[in-house]
Amino acid sequence: QVQLVESGGGLVQAGGSLRLSCAASGRRFSSYAMGWFRQAPGKEREFVAGISWSGGSTYYADSVKGRFTISRDNAKNTVYLQMNSLKPEDTAVYYCAAVFDPAVVTTATQYDYWGQGTQVTVSS
């Protein structure tokens, strides 16, 4: 079992930055690949970024490539999403998720555990 709790969301102006954190409890955090997803009102949940269990591999959606950075600290059981140059279209509830797999996973249905989400709102 893995419990995930996101934090760091909020309201920011376009062009600003936020850093999301996802704290995991439970054993063997380092055995899980982690991902960030988001869901805007009226839209499906979409993949944002993923990181392998070791942190050695990352993958990003085209819409955030070059602006967002995913990282993890296995000693702290935490994964981060640094979001820069935010745009109004980044407004969504952001979720972190864990999958018992060493490699990056981009498909939501493959993930085993989900957090409750944190709201990110970018004003224009």
Side-chain angles (χ1 to χ4, degrees):
Q1 278 288 66
V2 176
Q3 292 80 42
L4 303 172
V5 179
E6 302 97 335
S7 62
L11 174 64
V12 64
Q13 289 188 332
S17 298
L18 282 175
R19 188 194 197 202
L20 305 183
S21 298
C22 175
S25 60
R27 297 183 294 176
R28 303 178 65 184
F29 172 74
S30 59
S31 297
Y32 290 80
M34 301 295 294
W36 285 97
F37 291 77
R38 66 187 181 187
Q39 187 166 17
K43 295 188 177 181
E44 293 186 354
R45 190 170 298 190
E46 64 173 356
F47 172 81
V48 174
I51 190 166
S52 62
W53 66 273
S54 68
S57 296
T58 58
Y59 190 80
Y60 298 91
D62 287 343
S63 59
V64 306
K65 202 172 294 182
R67 299 188 298 122
F68 291 11
T69 302
I70 188 171
S71 62
R72 66 189 296 163
D73 185 338
N74 286 344
K76 296 182 178 179
N77 282 12
T78 302
V79 63
Y80 305 97
L81 185 68
Q82 178 66 44
M83 306 186 295
N84 299 329
S85 301
L86 283 161
K87 304 175 181 180
E89 51 264 44
D90 294 318
T91 295
V93 177
Y94 283 71
Y95 300 89
C96 73
V99 56
F100 189 63
D101 193 307
V104 177
V105 176
T106 62
T107 305
T109 55
Q110 292 185 261
Y111 278 79
D112 302 307
Y113 303 101
W114 292 84
Q116 292 300 306
T118 185
Q119 176 70 47
V120 171
T121 303
V122 184
S123 63
S124 57

